Structure formats: structure tokens, C-alpha cells
Amino acid sequence: MVDVQKPVAQLVESSDEAKAAISSGLASLLIPEMSISGLISTVAALAMVFGGVFPFIPQYRDIYRSQNAEGFSLFVCLNLLIANILRILFWFGKHFEMPLLLQSIIMTFTMLALTHLCVTVKHKSEIIKAKQHNFTDFEVEHFWKWSSFDSYIQFTVTFTAFMGLLTYIFLDNWVFIETVGFLAVFAEAMLGAPQFYRNFQNKSTKGMSKKMVAMWTCGDVFKTCYFVIRNAPAQFWICGSLQVMIDISIFLQVYFYRNLVPKPAFS
């Protein structure tokens, strides 16, 4: 006879632990310790929560104003969606600081908003309407190059549901949880790689917001130091350092491509 009480009890216990961790984290964030160190800690935490979004504001404004998204790699959004969804799931297996969890939630919605803008702009700029490609067509060559925003939502929901189910099944398997944590921060560390590759293809950084990359770099340096000081899991600060190196590589592209005639942008 199958004993269903044990897994149900574990589920209830995990749920209670998660609720307690969330309540404790929010309380410490909203009601800081009344001291200089407590105030500094709160400011740093708020910077972690909202700081990741700020670099994308100049890029969003540039695309919206110019109605041209060719210089921006949409795979940047894919990287951050995967990274932050995995980080949220990682939290359920290994509770880390609440600011990092809130940052992931906010960043997920930010990337969906930026993706929506890019898809809308590209659709409007088409003089001759191309063949429509959707997520449900399962065409590998058109992955993340779909015609409608609905397809991006479908992928996000599917990926979240699939990884969420795996996390629930293997929640007590530390190897799986640590792997999810590593994949989350590694995907985020590779944030600049799609943009670096697009610049390399075009032999130009035109259309890419330099302010965005500058804010990436400042933010990545700050959060890597934050990870070290706050004793975050090793995956965080190791991949944070990698992210800083990629940011610097993109700035080198800005220097080397400054006098080159740009090639036509690739889709």
C-alpha cells in the first residue's frame, strides 16, 4: 500500500518553510535595523532588487524612439529569462537572500516587456510581410525568432512549468539543486555573449546602447562584490566575475569598430 501521508507532509513542511523565509526576508528588507550599517545594508539590498533593470531603460528608450531593434540581440532577453526563472526555482531548494529573489522576479517581467517591444517594432518595420513562425511549429532554425509575442509567452510558460516540475520532484536532491543554481548564474553570466556575437557579425556596435553596457558593467561589479561580502553561494560570485569580463570585451568592440563601416544587421 502506498503511503501518501509522507510526501504530503513534506510538501506542507516545504511550503511552510518557504513562507517563513519569504516573510523573514521581506521584514528585514522593509524594516531595517536602525543603525548606519543597517541603513547601508538596506540601500544595497534595494540596489540589488532594482539595479538590474536600470541598464535596459536606455536600450528600451532607444528602440522605442528609433523604432529599430536591429542593433539589439533578442537573445539577451532569452538569457535573462532562463537565468532568472532558474534562480527563482533554485531558491526553493536553497534559500538565498530575499533581494536576489525579488530581483529575479522583477527582471523576468522586464525581459518580457523588452521582448514585446522588439517583436512589435520588427513587425511594424516589415514592408513585405514574411512567413509567420510560431513556437508551436517547433522549427529549430527559427527558435526565438518568432513572429508573435504569444510564442515567447508560450515558451516561457512551458519552460517554467517543465523546470518547476523537475525541481519539485528532485527538491531533496542536492546535486540537482546545485546544478540548477549553477545554470542560473551561468546563464546570467553569459548575458553579454549574444550582444558580443551580434556586434562581431555586424562589425559594428550601432544600435546597441553604450549606456546599457556601461550600466551592465557597473552593476556587475557591484553585485559581484555584494555576493562576496554577503557570502552568497559560490556560483553567484564566480559567474559574476565572468560577466564583468564579457562586459569589458563589449567595450573593446566599441573601440575597435568605431571607424568601420557597419555590415547589414543579421536577423
Side-chain angles (χ1 to χ4, degrees):
M1 183 175 180
V2 179
D3 183 9
V4 298
Q5 293 182 346
K6 186 175 180 180
V8 171
Q10 289 178 339
L11 176 61
V12 172
E13 184 178 352
S14 298
S15 176
D16 290 341
E17 290 178 356
K19 289 178 181 178
I22 292 174
S23 299
S24 176
L26 289 176
S28 62
L29 183 62
L30 298 176
I31 309 176
E33 180 186 347
M34 299 304 293
S35 65
I36 298 298
S37 61
L39 180 61
I40 294 175
S41 178
T42 300
V43 171
L46 290 174
M48 283 300 301
V49 172
F50 298 103
V53 175
F54 290 146
F56 294 96
I57 295 176
Q59 185 67 72
Y60 190 98
R61 292 179 61 186
D62 287 349
I63 294 173
Y64 184 82
R65 183 174 58 249
S66 66
Q67 290 296 294
N68 187 338
E70 291 300 327
F72 176 72
S73 175
L74 201 56
F75 283 92
V76 169
C77 297
L78 173 64
N79 265 34
L80 279 180
L81 280 172
I82 290 177
N84 286 283
I85 290 170
L86 290 178
R87 187 194 284 185
I88 292 170
L89 296 175
F90 177 50
W91 184 88
F92 287 96
K94 187 173 183 179
H95 296 335
F96 47 81
E97 289 201 335
M98 183 57 58
L100 300 180
L101 177 63
L102 294 177
Q103 180 200 52
S104 293
I105 295 172
I106 294 173
M107 184 62 75
T108 298
F109 287 102
T110 301
M111 289 302 99
L112 289 174
L114 185 55
T115 299
H116 178 266
L117 175 65
C118 291
V119 173
T120 302
V121 167
K122 288 182 179 180
H123 181 71
K124 288 181 179 179
S125 64
E126 289 182 345
I127 299 175
I128 301 176
K129 299 301 179 183
K131 179 184 176 182
Q132 299 294 296
H133 300 284
N134 299 300
F135 169 64
T136 52
D137 295 334
F138 301 110
E139 299 172 314
V140 177
E141 65 272 23
H142 293 290
F143 176 75
W144 209 250
K145 299 175 184 177
W146 301 306
S147 304
S148 68
F149 180 66
D150 290 345
S151 291
Y152 295 88
I153 292 294
Q154 290 168 6
F155 168 82
T156 303
V157 171
T158 301
F159 177 78
T160 303
F162 177 72
M163 291 305 302
L165 178 61
L166 287 181
T167 302
Y168 170 71
I169 294 173
F170 298 106
L171 190 61
D172 295 325
N173 187 316
W174 72 270
V175 175
F176 176 82
I177 294 300
E178 291 294 338
T179 301
V180 169
F182 173 77
L183 291 176
V185 292
F186 181 74
E188 184 175 3
M190 299 305 292
L191 161 66
Q195 189 63 56
F196 179 91
Y197 181 64
R198 191 175 190 86
N199 295 342
F200 176 76
Q201 284 184 308
N202 297 341
K203 294 296 185 291
S204 170
T205 57
K206 183 179 180 180
M208 179 195 74
S209 173
K210 278 68 170 184
K211 293 179 182 177
M212 177 186 71
V213 181
M215 295 174 75
W216 275 357
T217 307
C218 294
D220 292 339
V221 170
F222 170 79
K223 72 182 181 183
T224 301
C225 294
Y226 181 90
F227 293 154
V228 174
I229 294 172
R230 302 295 294 182
N231 294 317
Q235 298 101 318
F236 284 79
W237 64 264
I238 292 173
C239 291
S241 301
L242 174 60
Q243 199 166 352
V244 172
M245 289 189 287
I246 295 176
D247 295 339
I248 294 173
S249 298
I250 294 177
F251 268 120
L252 290 176
Q253 286 183 316
V254 173
Y255 175 77
F256 286 119
Y257 296 153
R258 67 190 188 283
N259 295 324
L260 296 180
V261 177
K263 294 182 179 180
F266 287 80
S267 300

